[in-house]
Amino acid sequence: MRQNGIDMYRVSNFFIKNCVTVLFVILCIIALYITTFSPTFILEEIFMRMGRSTLLVLSLLIPVIAGLGLNFGIVVGAIAAQAGIFIAVFFFQYIETLFGEGRLLGFMADFAGIGFIGFLIAFAVATPLAILFGFLVGKLFNKMKGTEMIGGLVAGFFSDGLYQFFFLFVMGGLFTVDMMARLFPDAALNLILPTGVGVMVNINLQGNIAGAVDNVSMLRIVDAAFYVVSAVSAVMLIYRFVTKKALGLLKIAKVFVPVAILWGASHIFPAVEEFLLADRLRLIYAVEWTAFLVAAISLWRIIQEKALQKKEGVPLRPILYLAAAALVYGITWHPAVYTAFMHVRLPVLTFLLIIGTCFFIRWFLNTRLGQNMRTVGQDRAVATSAGINVNRVRIIAIIMSTTLACWGQLIFLQNMGTMAMYGAHPAVGLYTVAALLVGGASVQSAGIKNALLGVVLFHTLIFLAPNVGAQLMGDSQHGEFFRLFITYGVVAISLALYAWSRIKTASSAAQIGDPAPDTGGGAQES
């Protein structure tokens, strides 16, 4: 009975902590059953939305780990991205006129396309702005410790007001069209409203920014990877030779040789080159190759652990990964699954950036600064006594979050192909926070798996809601209302559960005579 009681407690505790995720899983299953969309179309839409939004959701993780809670202030990062895109689009023709014949711009245009140049211009303008905005928001949060989420909301509204003042009044008002025409005679001036005051509501990004990242071919990615790896390897060898350190040829070769082989194959074998010329990778290939890679790594770990540790039996975790890889690969042989996966194409560079960001976050959290952020998030008093500059660590966390949100908004808008000048950024904070909470995160704890699961569940339901509303009530507008309801509801329920857990923790601490623990909000990265 005791054991059953413990088990029941664990089960109930699991459902209480993950009630939002469980509810969304149930709602997604019901929506998938009701919808009239085909499985192929649903898969295409889900992966497209993952490519758009995942980087934005990942930008929320580091502040949670640093004890700053859910950073609603990432709106300022989105504003920086949109300002960068506007400047890139506005001056695109002007810059192209000045430098279009230059060798560098011509090489970049041939290498990755004109749109990628526009994207780089937006990136170069937006990133310093995001760093500056993140620094200012971090300074604000240090003045209001314990109420950072409210501060983030207020900062988002305030920055939106400044943003609208600049683009609705300054552009075309104080900074007149005639003045812009004199300063930049070759720039595109058709972004201003017909009245001459204020920027247009919708800006078309086709031909400059649209698809700049999504449309980069795999062949260009391989070429760029080869050049970068070659340059880094050469610099490392020269540095180690000059400083008389061990060259570490084997370690360098582990990275350089596979990239060099793939690069060489792309230039020697026409079939390889033709395959890599595509900018999209079929989902079936991505799943199969991932399964093979996981299986190979699992087998290597099994052999390594058996050889080095000489334990009896087989290690459990690699066996589970190997079984999962075999199961996933077997599922792809089902005709319906194979057909659906064959029709879904993934933008390669976009998903590589998402994967790279995930690995960067995992690596960063194991660095000294990352460990300091964990300590600050768990208990600020302990961090201060350990000699950690708490305010500095918190500011760095917000700068990183804001910068990642800026890059995520750049990815989002280049995928959309159009920019709602005044409507694209206000909902960024709410929707990304809701997606993270749907994945099982909380104000105090969040990990990469929560971000990825949340993006899938949240956007699946958001995407299906209008169609389900049309099927059940004959009007897709009901689905739109439900979409807004669940977005605000997820945030409200999660914050209510957080407040309830704080009250319960404080009550328990008071009963045993201990001081209430610091609720700054540390997180354990999974």
Side-chain angles (χ1 to χ4, degrees):
M1 293 294 294
R2 180 180 176 83
Q3 184 65 37
N4 291 336
I6 293 174
D7 290 342
M8 289 300 297
Y9 171 77
R10 289 178 177 175
V11 171
S12 62
N13 191 45
F14 171 82
F15 278 102
I16 290 173
K17 288 184 176 180
N18 298 279
C19 61
V20 176
T21 305
V22 173
L23 175 62
F24 260 74
V25 170
I26 295 172
L27 290 175
C28 285
I29 293 173
I30 295 173
L32 288 170
Y33 177 77
I34 296 174
T35 185
T36 57
F37 293 143
S38 67
T40 300
F41 181 71
I42 293 173
L43 275 177
E44 288 178 341
E45 192 70 22
I46 290 173
F47 277 98
M48 181 183 66
R49 290 171 179 265
M50 285 184 66
R52 285 179 187 168
S53 306
T54 302
L55 204 58
L56 283 167
V57 180
L58 289 173
S59 70
L60 296 171
L61 297 183
I62 291 178
V64 173
I65 292 166
L68 289 152
L70 301 167
N71 182 21
F72 288 93
I74 63 170
V75 172
V76 300
I79 286 175
Q82 292 174 205
I85 290 178
F86 173 80
I87 293 173
V89 174
F90 187 81
F91 294 118
F92 192 83
Q93 291 183 2
Y94 181 67
I95 294 174
E96 188 179 11
T97 301
L98 288 180
F99 304 107
E101 301 299 327
R103 296 178 60 185
L104 178 61
L105 192 63
F107 169 76
M108 287 299 297
D110 292 338
F111 188 81
I114 288 293
F116 198 75
I117 299 173
F119 184 86
L120 290 179
I121 295 171
F123 177 86
V125 173
T127 301
L129 288 176
I131 294 172
L132 174 62
F133 295 164
F135 174 78
L136 295 176
V137 172
K139 296 286 285 187
L140 173 66
F141 284 177
N142 282 338
K143 298 293 184 181
M144 48 190 311
K145 292 185 176 74
T147 56
E148 292 89 351
M149 286 188 291
I150 296 175
L153 282 170
V154 174
F157 291 132
F158 178 74
S159 60
D160 181 45
L162 292 179
Y163 173 87
Q164 293 194 36
F165 168 77
F166 181 82
F167 285 104
L168 279 174
F169 181 71
V170 175
M171 295 299 296
L174 296 178
F175 192 37
T176 64
V177 176
D178 292 337
M179 186 186 302
M180 288 185 285
R182 288 195 298 269
L183 291 174
F184 309 103
D186 298 306
L189 299 178
N190 57 349
L191 300 178
I192 307 299
L193 290 169
T195 58
V197 179
V199 176
M200 294 183 66
V201 175
N202 292 304
I203 295 179
N204 186 11
L205 303 181
Q206 299 296 328
N208 41 63
I209 308 293
V213 176
D214 291 344
N215 296 336
V216 176
S217 68
M218 291 183 282
L219 184 62
R220 299 310 181 195
I221 297 172
V222 171
D223 288 341
F226 176 74
Y227 299 146
V228 171
V229 170
S230 298
V232 172
S233 300
V235 170
M236 290 178 64
L237 288 173
I238 293 171
Y239 172 77
R240 291 177 179 178
F241 178 79
V242 172
T243 56
K244 298 181 180 180
K245 295 181 179 180
L247 295 180
L249 293 174
L250 182 60
K251 188 175 182 180
I252 294 176
K254 287 182 179 179
V255 178
F256 177 77
V257 171
V259 175
I261 291 174
L262 182 58
W263 180 80
S266 66
H267 287 76
I268 295 173
F269 303 106
V272 176
E273 182 181 11
E274 183 179 358
F275 176 79
L276 293 178
L277 279 173
D279 54 31
R280 301 291 197 277
L281 179 65
R282 294 185 187 274
L283 180 60
I284 187 70
Y285 297 146
V287 171
E288 289 180 346
W289 294 350
T290 302
F292 286 139
L293 181 61
V294 171
I297 294 175
S298 301
L299 286 173
W300 171 251
R301 288 184 175 177
I302 291 172
I303 295 171
Q304 192 177 38
E305 290 189 25
K306 290 285 289 182
L308 295 179
Q309 300 179 8
K310 298 181 180 179
K311 291 183 178 180
E312 295 183 0
V314 180
L316 180 59
R317 179 171 293 182
I319 286 293
L320 293 177
Y321 283 135
L322 185 61
L327 178 63
V328 170
Y329 179 74
I331 291 174
T332 60
W333 283 85
H334 189 280
V337 175
Y338 180 82
T339 302
F341 282 17
M342 277 294 291
H343 285 84
V344 178
R345 296 174 178 268
L346 308 178
V348 179
L349 184 56
T350 302
F351 277 88
L352 284 178
L353 291 175
I354 292 171
I355 294 170
T357 303
C358 293
F359 278 104
F360 168 77
I361 292 174
R362 290 183 65 89
W363 167 82
F364 174 77
L365 293 177
N366 291 322
T367 63
R368 182 177 180 180
L369 180 57
Q371 294 298 325
N372 288 347
M373 286 185 182
R374 288 182 186 273
T375 305
V376 170
Q378 290 167 358
D379 196 313
R380 292 194 296 268
V382 171
T384 302
S385 63
I388 299 173
N389 189 332
V390 173
N391 288 345
R392 176 177 173 272
V393 168
R394 285 161 57 92
I395 289 175
I396 292 174
I398 292 300
I399 289 174
M400 294 181 67
S401 176
T402 304
T403 305
L404 282 176
C406 169
W407 296 345
Q409 186 73 346
L410 289 174
I411 297 294
F412 182 92
L413 292 175
Q414 65 85 34
N415 179 271
M416 292 290 293
T418 185
M419 179 171 69
M421 198 65 194
Y422 309 105
H425 61 277
V428 166
L430 180 65
Y431 274 78
T432 52
V433 166
L436 185 64
L437 294 174
V438 166
S442 68
V443 176
Q444 295 175 294
S445 177
I448 292 173
K449 66 180 182 182
N450 301 126
L452 299 179
L453 178 61
V455 170
V456 173
L457 292 178
F458 181 76
H459 284 284
T460 298
L461 195 58
I462 290 296
F463 156 60
L464 294 177
N467 182 258
V468 172
Q471 297 302 311
L472 293 178
M473 304 178 185
D475 185 1
S476 61
Q477 191 64 33
H478 289 88
E480 296 287 348
F481 296 148
F482 180 68
R483 174 188 296 183
L484 293 175
F485 169 75
I486 60 175
T487 301
Y488 287 98
V490 163
V491 177
I493 291 173
S494 299
L495 294 181
L497 288 174
Y498 170 64
W500 174 74
S501 66
R502 287 185 64 182
I503 294 172
K504 186 177 180 181
T505 302
S507 176
S508 300
Q511 289 178 2
I512 62 176
D514 291 338
D518 182 16
T519 55
Q524 297 297 324
E525 171 64 20
S526 56

